[in-house]
Amino acid sequence: MSPSVRLQEMIRVIRGARTQGEERGVIQRECAAIRAQFRQADNGTRSHNLAKLLYVHMLGYPAHFGQMECVRLIASPRYNEKRVGYLGAMMLLDEKQDASLLITNSIKNDLSHSSQYVQSLALCTLGCMGSAEMCRDLAPEIDRLLRASNSYIKKKAALCAVHIVRKVPELGELFTPAAQSLLSEKNHGVLHGAVVLITELCERNPDTLEQFRKVVPELVQIMKGLVMSGYSPEHNVAGISDPFLQVRILRLLRILGRNNDTASDAMNDLLAQVATNTDSSKTAGSAVLYETVLTVMDIKSESGLRVLAVNILGRFLLNNDRNIRYISMTSLQKIVQTDHNAVQRHRGTIVDCLKDQDASVKRCPPELRAHTTSGIFNAAERYAPSQRWHIDTILHVLTTAGGDVRDETVPNLIQLITTATELHCYTVHKLYRALITDISVQSLVQVACWCIGEYGDLLLRGECEETEPVQVAEDDVLDALEMVLQSHMSSPATRGFALTATMKLSTRITHNVDRIRSIVSIYGSCIDVELQQRAVEYNALFKKYDHMRAAVLERMPVIDKSSPGHTNGESAGGTMKEMEPTKLTQEVVLPQEPANKVCDLLDLLGGSAEPLQPSPALSTTPLGPVSSTAGGDLLDLLGGLDVTPVPPSVIVYEKNGVTLKLQTDRQTDTGMTVTLTATNSTDGDITSITLQAAVPKSVQLQMKAPSGDIIPAHGLGQVTQTVLLNNPNKVSLKMRVRVCYTSQGSVCQDTVQIDSFPSPAW
């Protein structure tokens, strides 16, 4: 290819390259020729060579060596060279490079040029890549051009001023008078630039915002002229007169009317007129209506106007365009807290959108999924026609919702399964099939492991009247549990369920006890301390107390729903401590044994000086906390036998339907563990709740992660946070707690002083 080849010929050769290597070779040869010609004196081909270099840059190849050539061409008196030079500057230069400073003087000279097209080139370049220094130097020139008589120049000067305000906000005051005067222009391009500039000024300066609230009547008149004007071929788009300008004016009105009664009243009639006279059958009309809805919802509008806005969104839900249905759903989600009754009228249409094939339309936001699944569980419990339907529904929701379920789901489902004694065989078969299909849903895997551990003998028997008989081998069951134990997707709590289920199967199978012993022994050296502790205890059952293993690992009795510690996400008049997921595992039952055998069991990890009285039925939790009371060795082995009374609590904060209670869980001479529990009695969810605590300097404070940041409405859930206090100097203990949350779109923040703490139950 000749060095003097034309731009069109170079493009043809590059496109004709068969491989990437051939394309690179063509471009390297051409770049070398361009460099050589740049070093020569002006031969009239500089703009031609720079144009070719810009095409190379568009293909992603380095073209930085052409930056200085851009500076030379910008200083050229010829328009065709100046045009290519400015284009190259916008593509190859940015404010971080020193070469950009070299064109400041050329831009200043061209802003005063007699040709409007040269002025336009300088304005476009400054508005595209002008640095803060360039903006400060050239701002007076832009203000002068904003007052020019040429509409073509004023339009571009307004957009250039927008860039300057974004780069140097303090220069906004310079453009305020000129921006206000531009609203009297008849040219739509100038009006569009003026509205964009005023919007930028109002967003960055509250004083300017107050000043421009006086021009709301003028903006209303401009908007009315657009809405009521007849057909204009120059501005008509699908039957709408200049929808781009209408959208910009509506956005500016939204900013000016926010939190201001006077400005809002001045635009109410206009918004009603736009909402009723705009045709929504075309995309342009839908865009104008959507901006109208956002403006109505953001200002202090009349109640009837807000209902009209919600009805427009309801019509959007029936639109065939999925993009329009998506933005309608997103908008309804934002306003449902403030205009619940208006949105409620469109409930049927919203439910129908759940059947939409587009996942973006039917998806549920992450922060609402847990609340939604909890509501489904409560409805299923209240209206279930049968226990089988209830179990099937919850399992289906668990499979669909994935990890978006609350912590209390697992113990609640376990309680339901234990009470449905005639469905144990059906449930364990169904959960086993779900387990071998997918182990990514942690809550479902935990319940499945629990059922396999409890009712593994029913699974292996293969006789189930409710489902088709399926013969499951012992090795298949153990393979499934081992898969859960070894999977990187399994949480520590899930592995605890799987390990306990494996241990329980040692009394329900006949041929693979040695394999179970091997699996359990492996986790005796696990890096997870909780899992290691359980494995060590189970190994001890295999060795020293093998004669008691069958009795200890019997089926768990039916859980009484009204027993302490059970919750379904509702408050039943008393304070209920929220269950932690790491403590929700299978329970094992210890039948009545002679006193000497119980004492032998207590002596497993060191012995007890005082024998315990045998109990007719002792329930233990293998993954529960380790107790330090008398008989603690038995608790180390089986996870806790004592039924701990609910610690007393005190209300430290109660406002806006939010109640914060404090209870002392544990107290020593130099330390204390307290739990803060927040509940919500309002009709709407409390979101973004955070708790911050401060104590005297001599006291050490550690706040654990909260259980969540959303408190469901009507007391259907709670958020808890544990605080550890270490007081080595035994000073008078005080704590200050800051509560911050969002209620019905408003951010609330309060601080409470706690001077005394309730005593723990023990």
Side-chain angles (χ1 to χ4, degrees):
M1 185 169 58
S2 170
S4 60
V5 67
R6 293 171 57 84
L7 173 62
Q8 293 86 345
E9 179 65 18
M10 186 191 76
I11 294 175
R12 187 188 64 80
V13 174
I14 291 176
R15 288 182 175 178
R18 299 176 182 177
T19 63
Q20 189 174 6
E22 185 178 348
E23 177 186 289
R24 271 197 305 269
V26 173
I27 290 177
Q28 287 173 357
R29 290 193 298 272
E30 184 62 25
C31 287
I34 292 173
R35 279 196 187 94
Q37 294 191 29
F38 280 169
R39 299 189 191 100
Q40 299 174 5
D42 188 3
N43 53 10
T45 62
R46 289 186 178 277
S47 61
H48 174 72
N49 288 325
L50 183 59
K52 291 194 291 184
L53 190 61
L54 294 181
Y55 179 76
V56 170
H57 172 75
M58 291 170 58
L59 296 178
Y61 292 92
H64 57 278
F65 59 88
Q67 293 173 354
M68 292 306 300
E69 197 65 21
C70 295
V71 177
R72 296 189 187 97
L73 289 179
I74 288 174
S76 171
R78 288 179 229 153
Y79 176 75
N80 62 333
E81 293 184 348
K82 191 181 290 289
R83 180 179 61 177
V84 177
Y86 274 123
L87 177 61
M90 286 186 277
M91 294 180 64
L92 302 181
L93 296 178
D94 58 52
E95 59 183 73
K96 298 179 182 179
Q97 296 168 346
D98 295 336
S100 63
L101 300 176
L102 301 176
I103 65 174
T104 303
N105 191 56
S106 296
I107 292 178
K108 184 175 182 180
N109 293 333
D110 288 341
L111 288 175
S112 303
H113 201 277
S114 58
S115 171
Q116 64 176 359
Y117 301 108
V118 175
Q119 289 179 318
S120 173
L121 291 176
L123 287 170
C124 290
T125 305
L126 179 60
C128 177
M129 46 76 64
S131 63
E133 291 77 8
M134 293 173 64
C135 291
R136 290 190 180 94
D137 293 339
L138 301 175
E141 297 294 324
I142 304 303
D143 182 58
R144 177 180 59 82
L145 293 177
L146 283 173
R147 307 172 191 275
S149 59
N150 191 328
S151 298
Y152 178 77
I153 295 300
K154 284 194 286 190
K155 172 181 65 175
K156 294 185 178 293
L159 297 178
C160 184
V162 172
H163 175 79
I164 294 176
V165 172
R166 289 172 180 170
K167 283 292 180 183
V168 191
E170 58 267 23
L171 291 177
E173 297 180 359
L174 175 66
F175 302 117
T176 299
Q180 185 170 349
S181 66
L182 291 178
L183 291 177
S184 59
E185 291 285 332
K186 301 299 182 183
N187 184 281
H188 283 211
V190 178
L191 280 176
H192 190 280
V195 172
V196 174
L197 176 58
I198 294 173
T199 302
E200 197 70 31
L201 293 172
C202 293
E203 287 180 338
R204 296 181 179 273
N205 192 326
D207 296 334
T208 306
L209 175 62
E210 289 296 328
Q211 181 178 346
F212 275 107
R213 281 196 169 119
K214 301 175 183 177
V215 304
V216 168
E218 190 173 352
L219 291 170
V220 169
Q221 290 301 320
I222 295 174
M223 189 68 186
K224 281 185 178 180
L226 292 172
V227 174
M228 305 304 295
S229 64
Y231 175 75
S232 173
E234 183 181 359
H235 307 118
N236 186 277
V237 178
I240 306 297
S241 177
D242 203 342
F244 304 100
L245 180 57
Q246 289 193 41
V247 166
R248 285 292 183 180
I249 293 176
L250 287 169
R251 289 180 183 175
L252 177 56
L253 289 175
R254 181 160 72 248
I255 295 173
L256 297 175
R258 187 180 299 146
N259 300 323
N260 188 277
D261 293 329
T262 304
S264 298
D265 292 340
M267 62 184 75
N268 274 332
D269 292 341
L270 168 70
L271 295 174
Q273 191 174 11
V274 175
T276 54
N277 293 340
T278 303
D279 181 15
S280 62
S281 60
K282 302 293 184 179
T283 304
S286 298
V288 174
L289 284 176
Y290 178 63
E291 288 296 332
T292 303
V293 169
L294 295 182
T295 303
V296 168
M297 292 303 175
D298 213 14
I299 68 173
K300 294 189 175 182
S301 56
E302 300 171 351
S303 59
L305 195 57
R306 299 179 73 87
V307 172
L308 178 61
V310 174
N311 291 338
I312 292 174
L313 294 177
R315 293 204 305 270
F316 282 175
L317 291 176
L318 302 174
N319 198 294
N320 293 328
D321 191 329
R322 289 176 179 171
N323 293 323
I324 294 179
R325 293 205 301 274
Y326 174 79
I327 63 172
S328 173
M329 197 72 68
T330 305
S331 302
L332 287 172
Q333 178 186 321
K334 294 177 181 177
I335 65 179
V336 68
Q337 297 293 342
T338 55
D339 295 271
H340 181 269
N341 293 332
V343 178
Q344 185 74 9
R345 299 191 186 101
H346 305 279
R347 180 176 57 184
T349 308
I350 295 171
V351 172
D352 289 339
C353 289
L354 291 173
K355 304 173 185 177
D356 199 291
Q357 296 180 355
D358 192 337
S360 62
V361 174
K362 63 183 179 181
R363 71 179 178 87
C364 182
E367 61 270 14
L368 292 180
R369 289 176 184 170
H371 180 60
T372 303
T373 54
S374 180
I376 294 175
F377 291 153
N378 290 333
E381 180 179 6
R382 182 174 301 178
Y383 303 109
S386 64
Q387 286 185 317
R388 174 171 176 172
W389 181 92
H390 193 181
I391 292 174
D392 287 343
T393 301
I394 293 182
L395 293 181
H396 179 68
V397 174
L398 286 178
T399 305
T400 306
D404 299 308
V405 294
R406 291 179 173 166
D407 297 336
E408 66 266 17
T409 302
V410 173
N412 289 346
L413 181 54
I414 289 175
Q415 184 273 334
L416 173 62
I417 293 173
T418 58
T419 56
T421 54
E422 68 281 0
L423 295 176
H424 287 171
C425 184
Y426 166 77
T427 305
V428 72
H429 274 84
K430 188 162 186 174
L431 284 169
Y432 173 73
R433 287 194 293 270
L435 179 65
I436 61 179
T437 302
D438 183 15
I439 62 170
S440 61
V441 183
Q442 296 298 289
S443 54
L444 186 64
V445 173
Q446 291 174 7
V447 177
C449 291
W450 184 91
C451 277
I452 291 173
E454 290 295 321
Y455 314 119
D457 52 334
L458 302 178
L459 177 64
L460 297 173
R461 194 181 304 165
E463 300 175 0
C464 184
E465 298 179 358
E466 301 287 339
T467 60
E468 296 181 3
V470 178
Q471 190 62 42
V472 181
E474 295 179 359
D475 286 328
D476 295 336
V477 179
L478 293 177
D479 288 343
L481 293 176
E482 261 196 296
M483 178 176 60
V484 175
L485 285 168
Q486 297 171 3
S487 173
H488 68 280
M489 294 184 291
S490 298
S491 65
T494 303
R495 289 192 175 95
F497 274 91
L499 185 64
T500 303
T502 305
M503 184 63 185
K504 282 209 165 189
L505 285 179
S506 67
T507 63
R508 291 155 174 76
I509 64 177
T510 56
H511 304 295
N512 286 276
V513 177
D514 290 339
R515 180 181 175 183
I516 293 176
R517 184 184 290 110
S518 175
I519 294 173
V520 171
S521 63
I522 291 174
Y523 288 90
S525 57
C526 179
I527 60 173
D528 185 274
V529 178
E530 191 75 15
L531 204 59
Q532 180 191 96
Q533 176 184 345
R534 301 309 156 198
V536 170
E537 294 168 355
Y538 294 153
N539 278 324
L541 270 179
F542 270 122
K543 296 176 182 177
K544 188 174 180 180
Y545 296 95
D546 192 61
H547 62 284
M548 298 180 62
R549 179 163 51 86
V552 171
L553 300 176
E554 280 187 357
R555 282 187 187 174
M556 190 182 74
V558 176
I559 301 175
D560 183 7
K561 185 173 181 179
S562 61
S563 62
H566 180 86
T567 175
N568 194 30
E570 300 179 355
S571 177
T575 303
M576 197 73 71
K577 185 177 177 182
E578 187 177 37
M579 293 185 177
E580 297 180 6
T582 55
K583 299 179 182 177
L584 302 176
T585 60
Q586 291 170 282
E587 296 187 355
V588 295
V589 178
L590 182 63
Q592 183 173 352
E593 293 287 343
N596 59 338
K597 290 189 176 181
V598 177
C599 293
D600 289 341
L601 189 57
L602 294 177
D603 195 52
L604 175 63
L605 298 178
S608 174
E610 300 178 3
L612 291 182
Q613 294 298 326
S615 174
L618 299 177
S619 175
T620 65
T621 307
L623 291 185
V626 179
S627 173
S628 60
T629 60
D633 298 331
L634 179 57
L635 300 182
D636 281 352
L637 172 63
L638 298 176
L641 296 178
D642 295 335
V643 179
T644 304
V646 178
S649 61
V650 295
I651 298 177
V652 297
Y653 175 81
E654 191 169 16
K655 187 177 180 181
N656 300 329
V658 178
T659 302
L660 183 64
K661 297 182 180 180
L662 180 144
Q663 68 184 32
T664 304
D665 297 329
R666 185 178 299 276
Q667 184 173 6
T668 63
D669 291 340
T670 61
M672 178 184 297
T673 302
V674 299
T675 299
L676 297 169
T677 304
T679 57
N680 172 23
S681 60
T682 65
D683 295 334
D685 288 355
I686 298 296
T687 61
S688 304
I689 181 167
T690 58
L691 301 177
Q692 297 175 316
V695 293
K697 293 183 179 180
S698 60
V699 179
Q700 299 172 356
L701 178 144
Q702 179 185 1
M703 298 190 73
K704 300 291 187 180
S707 61
D709 61 350
I710 299 178
I711 315 177
H714 305 295
L716 295 180
Q718 59 189 18
V719 171
T720 61
Q721 188 163 9
T722 302
V723 181
L724 306 180
L725 302 174
N726 185 21
N727 187 11
N729 298 330
K730 300 182 180 181
V731 300
S732 178
L733 190 55
K734 296 181 180 181
M735 183 167 67
R736 182 172 297 172
V737 178
R738 174 178 292 173
V739 186
C740 184
Y741 55 88
T742 301
S743 176
Q744 298 182 350
S746 301
V747 178
C748 304
Q749 180 174 301
D750 291 295
T751 303
V752 294
Q753 178 79 21
I754 303 174
D755 297 323
S756 60
F757 296 81
S759 301
W762 52 87

